[in-house]
Amino acid sequence: MNRTAFFLLGFSIFGWTSAAQAACPEPENKEFATVATALFNCSSARPLKGAEQERKFQIHYDFPQTTPDSSGLPWLTIDPLREPASYMQAILIYATKSNAKPDIDWRIEDNKVESWCHAPWFQALREPLHGMTSERWSRPLELHKLQKDWARNWAVGIYNDVACYGLGTIWKDPTFPKTKDFSFPDGALGIKMLFTTAMPSQVPYLTGSKEWTVAAADDGSTMTMRMLQMDISVKDKRSPNGWFFGTFMYDATQPGDTVYERLVPVGLIWGSDPDLSATTYLEKAAIAKEGWVNPAVAARFYALPRQNLGLFGRANGPVDNPKSACITCHQRALDWGRAVLPKSPDEEQANALLPDVPYDPFDDAAAKAYFRNIGQDSPVPNTQSLDYTLQVSKGMTAFRNWVFTEFPDHAASTTDITPYPFKSSTAENTPANPAALATDEFKAGTTIMNNDLFTK
C-alpha cells in the first residue's frame, strides 16, 4: 500500500479527499491487522494550518486489566435525587482536581496521579491540537439575547479509570472489538468539555472563560474558542435507567478564582419523562419529574426563542438541541454489528428504526416515540446496546464502515454479535460513493440542523 492510499484510508469514510490532510503515521505493511492497529493509535487525521509549532493532541488509552475499585468515589455518599447540585459538584471536583491544573490542562497523558482515557476511532474527526470534535452549532439567540451570529461548538471527552476498563473490554484487540453483552461498571464517568466561537460581546456570561486555540476549519486553520459547557455522564445504579447525565455552564457573574469555580450546574437527568408532551405541558401545566433543572439558569433562557433548555423543561445543556434531553439522546447508543454506510439504503432503514428527535415537537405521538425509558435495553431490538455512550457507538460505526469499505473480507469476522438484518443489505445497494459524509454534519444550513427547528 502506498503512502497516499494509506492516508486516505484513515478518513475516507468521512468524505475527505486530499492526501495532504492526513496526519496518521504510515503502517509497516498493508495487512489488515497492521493498518487497523495503526489507525486505532492515530491521534488525528485532520489537517493543521498555521499552528504547526503548537503542542499536538495525543490519544491516550489507559485501559485497566481489572475493574478498578469504585467504592470510594466521592459522589456515592450523596443522594442524586435529593441533592442533585451537590452530587454534580462532587463529580466536578473529582474531574478537575488534577486534569485542570495548568501543567496538565486536560492533557490526560500528563496526569500521573489518575488514570483517564479517550474513546477510540475518532481520528478522522478529532482536530490535531486538543482532540476536539464538532458539535451542534448554536443558532442566533440560542445562547443570549445579544447573540446575532451562529456559533460553532467543539468538544473533547475523557473517561475515568472505571469507564476505561469498560472501553478496554471492547478494544482489547484493536482489530476485533467485542461488544456482546457490553455494559460499563458502576462508577464509570465521562466528562465532555464544550467550547464555542461565541464572543463575550454577544454572550456576556462568557467573559473571562477558558480559551483554547482549535484547528476547527476544514483546511486546518485555527480559531479561538471559549469554554461554555461541561457535561458529565455517570453510571450509577441509583438511577432508574442506570445513568445520570448532567451539565454545567460557565457564568462570568459567579464568584471564584478559576473558570471551574465559575461553572454552575444547569441540570441533572435520569429519565426521559415519556408522559410529558405538548398537550400535558401546555394544557395541564405538566413539568419534568425525572430530572432537575437549576431554576436560576432556566430563567435566563426562558425569554429566548428556545424557551427551555430541553423540550418542555427537560434537563439539557445550552449547546444542546432544545427539542431533546441529555439521557434521551444518549440512550440511542448501539452497535448494529455491521457497517451502516452514509447515504445507503441501510442507513435509511437504521434512521427509521432508531428513535430520533421529533421534527415537530408538538406531535405528541412522535415525541412519545422518542422520549422513552429503556433501562438497560437497546433502543432497537436485535441490536447491541452500548450503554448510553455515544462516543463508543460512533467510534464503532467508524470502525465497521472502514472495515467494510477497505477490507470487506474482514467485515464478518470482526464482530461478535449477529449483524442486524437490514432488508437491503446487498452489494448492489452500496452507494457509489460510500465516503460521502460532510466533515461537519451539524453546521448551519445542513439538513440535520434544519430539522432541528421548531415547526410551531
Side-chain angles (χ1 to χ4, degrees), residues 3-19:
R3 185 180 183 86
T4 298
F6 169 69
F7 279 164
L8 290 174
L9 257 177
F11 45 83
S12 64
I13 58 172
F14 294 98
W16 298 354
T17 57
S18 171

Side-chain angles (χ1 to χ4, degrees), residues 18-352:
S18 171
Q21 293 174 317
C24 292
E26 186 174 0
E28 295 179 359
N29 57 59
K30 62 181 181 180
E31 298 299 321
F32 167 74
T34 304
V35 180
T37 301
L39 288 174
F40 178 84
N41 291 318
C42 177
S43 296
S44 172
R46 285 180 60 91
L48 180 61
K49 180 180 178 181
E52 289 81 3
Q53 302 306 314
E54 298 288 333
R55 180 173 175 176
K56 310 302 189 298
F57 168 74
Q58 177 61 55
I59 195 74
H60 185 65
Y61 301 137
D62 194 347
F63 300 153
Q65 298 300 305
T66 58
T67 310
D69 180 13
S70 60
S71 60
L73 293 172
W75 57 87
L76 295 180
T77 61
I78 303 170
D79 186 341
L81 303 180
R82 293 179 178 272
E83 301 179 84
S86 297
Y87 180 82
M88 295 175 63
Q89 187 66 23
I91 293 173
L92 177 64
I93 294 173
Y94 168 90
T96 58
K97 64 182 178 183
S98 294
N99 292 319
K101 289 181 177 179
D103 59 334
I104 296 179
D105 194 23
W106 303 95
R107 305 278 186 182
I108 58 175
E109 68 273 21
D110 290 348
N111 187 343
K112 307 305 181 184
V113 178
E114 304 160 339
S115 296
W116 294 78
C117 68
H118 300 108
W121 267 91
F122 279 78
Q123 69 275 6
L125 297 180
R126 284 185 171 120
E127 56 85 31
L129 294 180
H130 293 280
M132 306 189 89
T133 58
S134 182
E135 293 278 322
R136 174 185 178 276
W137 290 32
S138 296
R139 287 191 179 82
L141 302 180
E142 276 197 343
L143 301 177
H144 195 273
K145 65 181 181 180
L146 298 179
Q147 183 202 355
K148 307 302 182 185
D149 301 312
W150 285 81
R152 299 185 65 168
N153 305 306
W154 283 59
V156 60
I158 62 172
Y159 297 88
N160 76 342
D161 57 348
V162 182
C164 295
Y165 168 79
L167 292 173
T169 64
I170 294 178
W171 292 104
K172 184 177 182 179
D173 181 351
T175 69
F176 185 11
K178 297 182 178 180
T179 62
K180 185 177 180 180
D181 300 326
F182 172 75
S183 66
F184 282 103
D186 256 33
L189 172 68
I191 299 291
K192 184 167 74 170
M193 301 207 318
L194 296 98
F195 284 62
T196 183
T197 57
M199 301 287 289
S201 58
Q202 295 193 15
V203 184
Y205 57 76
L206 289 175
T207 301
S209 186
K210 182 176 182 58
E211 294 186 352
W212 272 353
T213 299
V214 182
D218 289 343
D219 67 353
S221 299
T222 62
M223 56 190 72
T224 299
M225 293 190 177
R226 295 159 190 84
M227 184 172 67
L228 165 60
Q229 181 172 316
M230 181 180 288
D231 293 345
I232 61 174
S233 56
V234 58
K235 184 74 175 286
D236 189 327
K237 61 185 177 183
R238 294 174 292 179
S239 165
N241 290 289
W243 286 84
F244 289 99
F245 287 83
T247 298
F248 295 87
M249 65 174 286
Y250 177 81
D251 185 354
T253 68
Q254 296 297 308
D257 295 330
T258 70
V259 294
Y260 306 103
E261 292 173 343
R262 294 191 290 273
L263 288 174
V264 296
V266 175
L268 186 72
I269 190 169
W270 51 88
S272 293
D273 275 294
D275 296 326
L276 179 59
S277 65
T279 299
T280 60
Y281 176 72
L282 295 172
E283 298 180 7
K284 300 180 180 180
I287 61 173
K289 299 178 180 179
E290 297 177 342
W292 167 80
V293 176
N294 186 338
V297 173
R300 76 190 317 165
F301 288 93
Y302 194 80
L304 301 179
R306 67 185 296 160
Q307 191 177 57
N308 289 304
L309 289 155
L311 189 62
F312 305 135
R314 294 173 173 91
N316 221 13
V319 166
D320 302 326
N321 188 340
K323 297 197 306 184
S324 187
C326 292
I327 195 170
T328 314
C329 177
H330 280 264
Q331 69 184 12
R332 302 170 76 249
L334 60 77
D335 181 12
W336 298 97
R338 67 182 315 138
V340 181
L341 298 177
K343 301 185 183 299
S344 69
D346 287 355
E347 185 185 55
E348 292 181 9
Q349 292 181 56
N351 290 339

